[in-house]
Amino acid sequence: MKIRSDIIKVYKDVHIWIGIASGLMLFIAFYAGAITMFEKPLERWATPPSTLSAAPPLERADALVEAVLAAHPQAAARYFVSVQPAADQPARVYWQERGKGRREFKEYGASFAADGSLQVEQTRKAPVAQLVDTLHQLVGLPFPDAVARPIMGAVALAYAVALVSGLIVLLPTIARDVFALRIGKNIKRLWLDVHNALGLFSLPFHVVIALTSVVFAFHDQFYDAQDAVVYPNGIQWGGHEDAPAGGRVLLAAELLRRVEVQLPGFEVYGFGFQRDQEGHVEASVSGLDVRRGTRARTYMQTHLDPYTGEVDPHDLPGRMEGWDEAVNAFFALHFGSFGGNPVRWLYLLMGLAGAVLFYSGNLLWVESRRRKRKGAETPVQKRSAWALACLTVGVSLGCVAGISATLAAAKWLPALVGDLKAWHTGIYYAVFVAAVAWAFARGASRGAVELLVASAVLTLLIPLSSLAGHWNIGGTWSHPGSWPVDATALLAVPVLLYLARHTRRRMRQGHNDSVWAQ
């Protein structure tokens, strides 16, 4: 396919400069996003063990609800009965109470003690998994959501333009270069082949992520436009039907039985209830059907009649109306919330490959502007190339090291501090800023080697912290069945050390007129 060289040059410039402007933020979004594919296992791994007694059988859940409402009447406004208690959600009944702040809510869980008395505990769900997800959503920016989200939307739009312009640049040589991976002394050529191959073969994935990210960033504006055009008089919600005369809310075990009959293949996680001032109860059921994608990352939810057990399935994927099904598809494609763990692992690998794509793009820009050696004197490299090389190393490896550091701290902080969220956020950004400063102080090449080694050490601390939990050292703990998180971190350590070794070799044996030279 032939395209005029001047047109190729325009699109190449667009691709390069958009990539430079947004590549580092996209690296953080993709690296953190890859980790969030297993947000729930990570949350279970990081949540301290509960002091509550084991959750009573589901058949006794209604007695527990009555005890909770008698002791805490405010819980009647909204409470949740869990069908599948787990390490991060060990109680059978949960509810929220308003805290001191306007938007501050505290969540509590309840169980029965051995003597039958009511036990209540404020939940201790670890915030570190949510921090990683927030880094992903806001491309690592430490700003309020209202400020960072529009920036993320602009980055996503630029990202989509970079995808199109990159494809146009590649079209004339696609037949020759698509399967090429020229390994040799020309490191720049190798990186270009890797960059092109990753970009082309993962193009559908990147298009989906770019478009859905735009929807997430500007969803308020989209919904406002929808309200003005589709629902000019507002959405007319039907009121609830009156409870049947003498009707009582069905027992949780009976609700579970009726839901399973109506929704075969739907794994029920729990039931949510809320009671109005007149005493009428409304309910919902949450769970997951892995055969369907969902707009929430890890669950689906729909309405349920608590008096009859009848499910209203219109909010469930596969049973929605056309517009709602289309919106749900956007969320499901972005989250990879379909097909179970095989799709999650695929998205994780694609996310890491995306991070490499942005990292390699910056490397190519730096190398393309290298002042080559002529004669005996080694030239001084451009300040812009040196600065971008340091930024690329500092931001990318600062993100890797910062996430590993704050994850490793998850086992130690609950016994030492009160505000876990603030400490996890502080640890991440302290390591991140230190890594960027280190890269500028040491230079791109030395900084990359040292920060890769540091990232490997911090990542190794994740399973070592769990190992400390086996002996309850310093208040740490270890949940049964949490080994996949530790095993994944352990597998990442030799990868980071290999990259450090390869970078050191390139520093010593590569072009001595490069910013990557020793």
Side-chain angles (χ1 to χ4, degrees), residues 56-386:
L58 187 62
E59 288 74 16
R60 295 195 62 201
D62 302 277
L64 181 58
V65 168
E66 291 182 6
V68 167
L69 297 184
H72 302 270
Q74 64 272 32
R78 180 168 298 184
Y79 59 94
F80 182 81
V81 175
S82 175
V83 171
Q84 300 183 19
D88 61 322
Q89 197 174 36
R92 181 68 72 184
V93 175
Y94 291 90
W95 72 97
Q96 288 186 337
E97 296 182 8
R98 188 179 296 275
K100 296 180 180 179
R102 181 180 177 185
R103 296 185 178 181
E104 180 184 353
F105 289 90
K106 296 181 179 180
E107 185 181 64
Y108 294 88
S111 185
F112 284 130
D115 61 0
S117 61
L118 179 67
Q119 277 187 323
V120 174
E121 176 190 65
Q122 185 175 345
T123 57
R124 306 172 68 192
K125 187 177 295 184
V128 67
Q130 181 58 51
L131 169 63
V132 177
D133 190 26
T134 301
L135 293 173
H136 160 66
Q137 293 180 31
L138 305 183
V139 292
L141 298 173
F143 305 140
D145 185 271
V147 176
R149 196 166 293 275
I151 297 176
M152 181 273 284
V155 169
L157 283 170
Y159 166 35
V161 173
L163 291 173
V164 174
S165 58
L167 180 62
I168 292 174
V169 170
L170 190 59
L171 282 176
T173 60
I174 193 170
R176 184 186 69 213
D177 292 343
V178 66
F179 293 111
L181 190 61
R182 285 157 282 197
I183 301 175
K185 293 183 178 181
N186 192 335
I187 302 298
K188 179 187 172 184
R189 181 76 253 179
L190 173 61
W191 273 110
L192 181 61
D193 290 341
V194 170
H195 182 84
N196 289 342
L198 285 175
L200 183 64
F201 288 111
S202 60
L203 182 62
F205 173 80
H206 285 280
V207 169
V208 167
I209 298 301
L211 294 179
T212 52
S213 296
V214 173
V215 173
F216 295 155
F218 302 112
H219 69 277
D220 286 344
Q221 290 81 356
F222 288 141
Y223 285 147
D224 289 343
Q226 173 186 312
D227 290 342
V229 177
V230 182
Y231 304 109
N233 298 318
I235 299 176
Q236 305 301 314
W237 299 102
H240 61 71
E241 298 180 0
D242 293 333
R248 290 177 56 85
V249 173
L250 293 175
L251 300 178
E254 179 61 18
L255 282 175
L256 176 62
R257 187 189 67 79
R258 297 192 184 191
V259 170
E260 288 177 339
V261 171
Q262 297 172 73
L263 301 175
F266 184 85
E267 183 182 5
V268 179
Y269 292 167
F271 303 103
F273 300 91
Q274 56 186 45
R275 184 175 298 176
D276 60 24
Q277 295 180 347
E278 299 175 356
H280 183 87
V281 178
E282 294 184 351
S284 61
V285 56
S286 60
L288 188 64
D289 185 343
V290 296
R291 300 169 299 179
R292 303 283 185 179
T294 173
R295 64 185 303 165
R297 191 186 299 277
T298 56
Y299 69 93
M300 305 170 182
Q301 184 173 319
T302 192
H303 295 90
L304 169 72
D305 188 327
Y307 300 96
T308 66
E310 182 179 357
V311 176
D312 179 0
H314 79 276
D315 282 337
L316 294 179
R319 303 171 187 242
M320 298 175 174
E321 296 180 357
W323 174 256
D324 291 330
E325 198 72 67
V327 173
N328 184 75
F330 269 93
F331 284 83
L333 286 170
H334 186 92
F335 293 144
S337 56
F338 57 93
N341 284 336
V343 172
R344 293 187 183 280
W345 278 109
L346 176 62
Y347 267 58
L348 182 144
L349 294 175
M350 294 293 285
L352 295 178
V356 173
L357 183 70
F358 305 122
Y359 187 84
S360 61
N362 279 19
L363 296 185
L364 288 168
W365 186 89
V366 170
E367 283 298 298
S368 67
R369 278 149 183 78
R370 173 168 56 90
R371 288 174 174 168
K372 296 184 179 181
R373 182 173 181 174
K374 296 179 180 179
E377 186 176 350
T378 301
V380 177
Q381 296 300 328
K382 296 179 180 179
R383 190 75 175 174
S384 58
W386 177 85

